[in-house]
Amino acid sequence: MLSLVDLRTRIIAGTLDPAGAIRLAEAAIAARDPGIGAIVSRNPAPAIAGSGPLAGIAVGVKDIIDTADLPTQMGSPIYAGWQPKADAAIVARLRALGAVPLIKTTTSPFASHDPTATVNPRDPGHTPGGSSAGSAAAVAAGMVPLALGTQTGGSVIRPAAFCGVAAIKPSFRLLPTVGVKTFSWALDTVGLFGAGIRDIAQGLSLIADRPALDLDLDVAPQAPRIGLCLQGFADAPDADALAALTRAARAAEAAGARVVDLVLPSPLPEAWACHAIIQDYEARQALAWEYAHHRAQLSPELGAQLDAAQDLVAAQYDAARRSAHRARRVLKDLFGEFDAILTLSAPGRAPASLGTTGDARFNRLWTLMGVPCVTVPVPGDGLPLGVQVVARFGDDGRALAVAGMIERALAA
Amino acid sequence: MLSLVDLRTRIIAGTLDPAGAIRLAEAAIAARDPGIGAIVSRNPAPAIAGSGPLAGIAVGVKDIIDTADLPTQMGSPIYAGWQPKADAAIVARLRALGAVPLIKTTTSPFASHDPTATVNPRDPGHTPGGSSAGSAAAVAAGMVPLALGTQTGGSVIRPAAFCGVAAIKPSFRLLPTVGVKTFSWALDTVGLFGAGIRDIAQGLSLIADRPALDLDLDVAPQAPRIGLCLQGFADAPDADALAALTRAARAAEAAGARVVDLVLPSPLPEAWACHAIIQDYEARQALAWEYAHHRAQLSPELGAQLDAAQDLVAAQYDAARRSAHRARRVLKDLFGEFDAILTLSAPGRAPASLGTTGDARFNRLWTLMGVPCVTVPVPGDGLPLGVQVVARFGDDGRALAVAGMIERALAA
């Protein structure tokens, strides 16, 4: 994989220039994408900034995020060839930092569940996950060192875990969603994919303009208190995923963490069960034009989801929002006892199918809570597995620090 | 003015059909708009639904709200002729209810402070206020019975007060902002303008799909507890505005309300002072593409505002958000003692100038708190004055009920 930190180090040292770094990405794209299909469109002659903290960093941009120089097609024939006027706020920010939004990456239609044509770079018979399929696959295949995704249920953490890359879904609205096609405004969160925890920490620090997030990951947190959480309300994971979680917990302990089993109390399981109501009630509104005028062009699962959502009433939505609000308060108190929660990134390895993007059941609660989530690849044989580190709302730095500690402990 | 309730009553009674109701709006537009300039574009041959709860209701749509059949030009030459792909969620909702989005109304550039060319329908030498200038003026001049605006500081309540119409800025995110050009995502709120409180209550009830909001305004709330609040931290209002507020308070008392002076405690004044930091830090991101590529085409005040915003740092923004969070909790407790707060809608009557849109200093706090605000026109001589009724977050019905009580008491 291309590492953002390594590329920046070489550029700062003068052994690589920004144009050379972009050429590395272009060469990898030419070599790898024909077999993977992560890319929807590509800037054939991008302007390459000679300076800036992210100069030379090629970025993959999920194709529900507006770009002024490339179409934004939402993974849907309804938006075939659609050219937005402006860059999304996050894309404008990347350009201001010197980065090159080089490719638009595949997305499930409107970031829903229906699969894309992208395959898992580790095995083309398996899904890369979704909805940010192309962004996860492009980073995993070494095409770009940084990619943008969005998560409404588990669309950043799950594909990252399936493809064996690091990713962060930051605290809700740490990164701007202006110019990102909305599925659910209370949930949609822009996230980052990178080769490792250092890469996403440094990327997030620069993009969010919060220097404190660029942690010195070589300095481990002092004996962090970690709650090991199976999210039993979300049903059992596969044995492989459970084994990876246990391994990560033991590695963290060996590195000095205090790991305690954590069963999430009421009203957190109840809030988890409310996620779909909030998501679907808002999606019905956000995609009302598409539903009213282009129902036949909606992908099968999304069409059925919106059909069902027409029956939701405001009282159900209001009750679900109150449930989520109560759960956020309880979770905040829980983080008085724990620095981080360690849990599953996905129920297992990437399914052996291109007809599904997998299951977000271990991700939904955290998206609804708005808390930062980081997935750490767990080294091993076969298709990748990841574990998920969750921290208190607004404390993205702690999620990254604990994730970095676990990444290092697993490598040891 | 055209009353939404009256038009619906006539349509339901069969004495007016939807097409006839739209013709009333079209005739008023032809007669009044040449002298007012509230309209940016108009659908010359709209499809008119024969049925639906808002059939026959012509709507004015602020020109930062996307429409699939009319350009959306943001009040800015940067977006001259720009045709979005889809309807904004709120526009799709209006069409689903049978309403006709007939006109796009003038807006300050990107809903900022710089004035539009629209004049106040009550006196063409005076501003109609902003940024939702055209929507307020179009309703005041009887061109449409319903119009959409947005408020980031005071862009719904203030122009409504200046033009002598009723308006509501609902609880934050009661109405969807998908497809609305963002200025500040933590603040931007879609609001409604109408002839009177009954009209906006019935409109909001239907659009938000919350039947309980369609109050029987002929039944006054039982002895509501009203906090009379001068917002001293925002400096003194004009004598006229103060007199109107006092009159409204005395009328409410005469109608049975218990009115008590309320001085807002810390940290509410501190939060008020933080509004601009949150707004400008987000606007810098939301308008980053426009600023990077079209700085010279930005209007003078907005350009200067974004220049200054480049110096804001994340720590200021994060501190401002924490301040707002603390204030919301204190305000929530305050609403245990009061059913509503009665305060100023604006510092005075519409200024005698087309070079300003007036001052939002009596509106900012409530937008930041996310609470529902309703402005009630105060009958009298000269240019209009309004008073503002504020209620607890999520209790838009109570804000409307108390506003309706005051409207009736003032008419008595």
Side-chain angles (χ1 to χ4, degrees), chain A residues 118-392:
Chain A
T118 310
V119 304
N120 193 309
R122 305 286 287 266
D123 184 331
H126 293 248
T127 177
S131 62
S132 309
S135 287
V139 169
M143 299 189 225
V144 285
L146 181 67
L148 303 180
T150 62
Q151 176 157 319
T152 304
S155 285
V156 168
I157 298 298
R158 182 168 91 265
F162 286 174
C163 291
V165 303
I168 181 166
K169 178 209 81 65
S171 293
F172 185 62
R173 287 289 167 91
L174 179 64
L175 298 179
T177 56
V178 178
V180 180
K181 181 73 176 168
T182 306
F183 196 85
S184 161
W185 55 83
L187 299 168
D188 296 352
T189 307
V190 173
L192 305 181
F193 297 86
I197 304 300
R198 284 192 315 158
D199 304 295
I200 57 174
Q202 198 165 102
L204 185 64
S205 165
L206 289 165
I207 297 168
D209 196 21
R210 282 163 175 86
L213 290 177
D214 189 11
L215 305 162
D216 184 353
L217 291 175
D218 294 332
V219 180
Q222 283 301 305
R225 302 157 300 167
I226 296 176
L228 181 61
C229 177
L230 294 181
Q231 301 190 63
F233 47 81
D235 214 342
D238 294 351
D240 281 355
L242 188 59
L245 180 66
T246 307
R247 214 176 116 204
R250 295 299 85 83
E253 272 183 330
R258 287 174 288 165
V259 180
V260 179
D261 285 339
L262 169 63
V263 175
L264 294 177
S266 182
L268 285 150
E270 292 81 358
W272 172 81
C274 288
H275 174 280
I277 294 172
I278 293 173
Q279 171 188 272
D280 292 356
Y281 190 79
E282 294 187 351
R284 178 179 97 185
Q285 296 175 72
L287 299 173
W289 178 82
E290 289 81 359
Y291 188 79
H293 297 278
H294 299 281
R295 171 66 186 84
Q297 285 185 281
L298 290 174
S299 49
E301 203 170 336
L302 177 58
Q305 187 177 0
L306 293 179
D307 285 343
Q310 306 303 313
D311 294 331
L312 290 170
V313 298
Q316 291 170 283
Y317 172 70
D318 293 342
R321 291 215 306 177
R322 284 192 295 270
S323 173
H325 184 71
R326 283 191 298 271
R328 280 186 203 107
R329 298 179 78 138
V330 169
L331 185 60
K332 185 181 173 189
D333 289 341
L334 262 184
F335 278 120
E337 300 166 42
F338 296 101
D339 293 296
I341 292 172
L342 177 61
T343 187
L344 301 138
S345 293
R349 302 181 198 266
S353 164
L354 298 176
T356 175
T357 64
D359 189 328
R361 66 185 195 259
F362 291 113
N363 310 112
R364 284 187 202 114
L365 175 64
W366 316 112
T367 316
L368 181 58
M369 296 295 97
V371 291
C373 305
V374 178
T375 183
V376 184
V378 176
D381 296 333
L383 279 165
L385 287 161
V387 292
Q388 183 173 202
V389 176
V390 181
R392 178 201 298 259

Side-chain angles (χ1 to χ4, degrees), chain A residues 68 78-79 82-87 89 92 173 176 178 182 185 209-210 284-285 288-289 314 317-318 329, chain B residues 68 78-79 82-87 89 92 173 176 178 182 185 209-210 284-285 288-289 314 317-318 329:
Chain A
I78 301 169
Y79 282 77
W82 171 244
Q83 178 56 60
K85 177 86 176 168
D87 283 331
R173 287 289 167 91
V178 178
T182 306
W185 55 83
D209 196 21
R210 282 163 175 86
R284 178 179 97 185
Q285 296 175 72
W289 178 82
Y317 172 70
D318 293 342
R329 298 179 78 138
Chain B
I78 302 169
Y79 283 77
W82 171 246
Q83 178 57 59
K85 178 86 175 168
D87 284 331
R173 287 290 167 91
V178 178
T182 305
W185 55 83
D209 196 20
R210 282 163 176 85
R284 177 178 99 185
Q285 297 175 71
W289 177 83
Y317 172 71
D318 293 342
R329 298 179 78 136

